[in-house]
Amino acid sequence: MVDIEHLLKTAAEHAHRGDVDAVESLFLAALKAEPTQTDVMAHLGFFYAQMGRTAKALAVFEQRGSLVPSDANCSRLMGDLYRAAREYRAAQRAYQTARHEGDRSPSTFWFLWKMAGQGTLAELRQALSQRIKKAGIWKAYRLLLLSLMAAGVWLFEKSGAVSSSSFSLSAFLRFLRRYDPEGWLEGYAYHKTREAMLASAVLPWQDPAATLLDIGTGKNSLPLYWAQGGAHMIALDGSDYGFSRLTQVQARLEAGGTAGPFSPLCGDGCCLPLQADSIDAASVLCVLEHIPRNGDIVCMEELYRVLKPGGRAVVTVETSAQPEERWLVVPYEIGYQVDGAVPGTARLEEVFCRNYSPDTAKSRLAGSAPWLVLDVGFYDDTLLPLRRWLDPKQHRLLSSLGSALQPLLSLLFYRKKSAKKCSPSSIGYLVLQKSNVKSC
């Protein structure tokens, strides 16, 4: 029998030291010993909720609810969690249960009333979206935008508003339109445009003798475009959830006779399945912030190990004025998550996200090994908070309407900013070089 008082006392001691991993392990071990211990489930659910881990908290409370009737406190908390996850009908049911169990607070009544309206709006949006997709209007609208955006970006480049390099954004968009329209139709994200331009200006993707590594590729077909330049591309991801898309694009390229050397590889960025000093250059684009604990530092150490002496790496991360760590529930595939995931599978519901401050970006990442820092900077919204408006988690309708427009909007409104003006919409980047010394 689990001694709840001793368990909570030990958990409090771990929490006081800031060791939240030990707290989680303690509760999980107690549940493994007694899988039906509902009191432990309740405390584990509250722990996950306090950590912002919505999906895990809901899973624990739902498991508990299958064993015992939910009480008012758990139901109220489940309502809050469902509301955060935008599952409005489930939130409404949870608040109703809380009131039935004796929660008569005005806030519970207010949320109950609000969730009824939100649930109806969510169902209306879903029904309208299905009708529009079935009619084919949506796809026709977005395919037309693809052509217009490619032409608009080409004119933007010709005007000299974009600094010239070996990479042409308009050419890349034409590549997407022809070989990966699904990738663009789903929205070649606002910040991804700047990442593609930045990395392509630094990495030797047009050198047939070079071997390049992209960590955390997912469904991004940029490495396939780079492979057309001649370099051998290795696209590594912790799960193969995006490889079917990339394989289809590769098949289209081969049919058109334009495919380059490309190798998808399922592996862990914190333990790269590559030899030391074997890679000429690498990109890690908005990946490190999704690795919990010190995984980002371990990944950077591994990246340093596999790069050849003098090899370059382009790293981008989410940044803000102050460092932040949180867990998010997202309405789209996010891919492999180290924490609790089965190797080779994708976690679709919950993602860890670390926002680096300008100081921590350099200290954690550039300080992970004896890197030479060639460049460091930030991109952020100018004039309008477009990145937040185009986030499908926050504004699903606006993100759908503007998905095909994102590359042009990025050129217009997502510009370099100083470190002192970083907002939660900013992306930080580092261009690093390995010293001319081989790894041990």
Side-chain angles (χ1 to χ4, degrees):
M1 185 72 177
V2 175
D3 185 341
I4 294 294
E5 290 188 6
H6 177 70
L7 180 71
L8 295 180
K9 182 180 179 181
T10 307
E13 291 172 355
H14 288 312
H16 183 70
R17 293 195 299 268
D19 192 354
V20 293
D21 292 335
V23 176
E24 181 183 17
S25 298
L26 191 68
F27 285 131
L28 290 176
L31 272 182
K32 187 176 181 180
E34 291 188 42
T36 59
Q37 180 58 260
T38 55
D39 287 342
V40 177
M41 289 181 187
H43 288 293
L44 178 60
F46 279 108
F47 166 75
Y48 280 138
Q50 288 176 323
M51 295 297 296
R53 306 202 53 182
T54 305
K56 277 190 171 289
L58 283 171
V60 171
F61 282 128
E62 286 167 357
Q63 182 184 0
R64 182 179 184 272
S66 67
L67 299 173
V68 294
S70 183
D71 56 49
N73 288 333
C74 287
S75 296
R76 169 64 185 274
L77 181 56
M78 288 180 71
D80 293 343
L81 294 169
Y82 278 124
R83 182 164 56 93
R86 285 179 163 75
E87 296 181 23
Y88 300 115
R89 286 299 189 194
Q92 185 184 13
R93 289 193 295 270
Y95 286 130
Q96 285 174 335
T97 302
R99 286 186 61 77
H100 178 73
E101 294 297 324
D103 185 350
R104 305 300 180 191
S105 62
S107 60
T108 300
F109 179 80
W110 165 253
F111 284 134
L112 181 60
W113 178 81
K114 188 176 181 181
M115 288 307 100
Q118 290 282 11
T120 303
L121 289 173
E123 290 173 359
L124 282 172
R125 284 197 300 267
Q126 186 176 5
L128 284 172
S129 176
Q130 290 175 347
R131 283 292 183 91
I132 290 171
K133 287 180 179 178
K134 191 174 181 180
I137 300 171
W138 196 245
K139 188 173 183 179
Y141 157 75
R142 295 170 89 180
L143 284 172
L144 175 63
L145 279 182
L146 296 187
S147 299
L148 293 175
M149 284 305 98
V153 170
W154 179 81
L155 290 172
F156 203 84
E157 289 177 334
K158 288 297 181 183
S159 70
V162 181
S163 58
S164 60
S165 70
S166 58
F167 177 77
S168 166
L169 179 59
S170 58
F172 175 55
L173 295 179
R174 288 195 298 271
F175 162 85
L176 288 177
R177 182 182 60 188
R178 182 174 180 182
Y179 298 109
D180 188 20
E182 297 91 346
W184 195 355
L185 286 172
E186 291 175 3
Y188 199 80
Y190 192 53
H191 62 285
K192 288 291 182 188
T193 297
R194 287 295 182 179
E195 288 177 343
M197 295 172 66
L198 169 69
S200 300
V202 174
L203 304 181
W205 56 279
Q206 292 179 311
D207 182 358
T211 299
L212 274 61
L213 170 67
D214 181 64
I215 297 178
T217 302
K219 296 182 178 181
N220 188 358
S221 55
L222 177 62
L224 281 164
Y225 180 77
W226 283 340
Q228 285 189 306
H232 177 209
M233 280 302 313
I234 300 174
L236 181 136
D237 202 275
S239 64
D240 59 3
Y241 83 108
F243 288 172
S244 59
R245 162 79 64 78
L246 299 182
T247 302
Q248 291 173 1
V249 176
Q250 179 75 345
R252 293 168 192 158
L253 288 166
E254 290 173 351
T258 60
F262 175 77
S263 303
L265 177 64
C266 190
D268 188 349
C270 295
C271 186
L272 292 172
L274 299 166
Q275 293 182 349
D277 307 312
S278 61
I279 300 297
D280 292 283
S283 54
V284 192
L285 307 179
C286 276
V287 172
L288 295 175
E289 64 266 33
H290 299 309
I291 308 178
R293 295 179 288 278
N294 289 328
D296 56 338
I297 298 174
V298 175
C299 184
M300 289 297 296
E301 292 171 345
E302 276 290 276
L303 183 59
Y304 189 88
R305 179 184 66 83
V306 302
L307 278 176
K308 293 179 180 178
R312 291 186 177 185
V314 177
V315 178
T316 64
V317 291
E318 299 278 355
T319 54
S320 57
Q322 299 296 327
E324 299 173 349
E325 292 188 6
R326 60 197 186 283
W327 286 87
L328 305 172
V329 176
V330 293
Y332 43 80
E333 289 180 315
I334 196 66
Y336 176 71
Q337 286 291 289
V338 174
D339 189 67
V342 178
T345 63
R347 286 279 295 276
L348 307 181
E349 78 287 356
E350 190 180 49
V351 57
F352 174 79
C353 187
R354 175 189 291 110
N355 267 34
Y356 296 80
S357 69
D359 290 335
T360 57
K362 287 195 69 175
S363 62
R364 283 183 70 92
L365 305 180
S368 60
W371 293 101
L372 303 176
V373 180
L374 303 182
D375 190 15
V376 61
F378 305 89
Y379 284 95
D380 206 342
D381 283 310
T382 301
L383 300 178
L384 299 171
L386 283 177
R387 190 174 176 215
R388 290 196 292 274
W389 292 350
L390 294 170
D391 183 352
K393 183 178 185 296
Q394 300 186 47
H395 304 286
R396 200 168 287 186
L397 180 60
L398 283 175
S399 67
S400 297
L401 288 170
S403 61
L405 302 168
Q406 291 192 47
L408 184 58
L409 293 173
S410 180
L411 294 180
L412 293 171
F413 297 104
Y414 207 57
R415 300 293 187 86
K416 285 190 176 181
K417 285 284 191 74
S418 69
K420 294 180 180 179
K421 295 184 179 180
C422 282
S423 78
S425 293
S426 66
I427 292 292
Y429 70 86
L430 296 98
V431 180
L432 306 171
Q433 185 174 27
K434 181 174 178 176
S435 61
N436 290 311
V437 178
K438 285 191 175 183
S439 300
C440 297

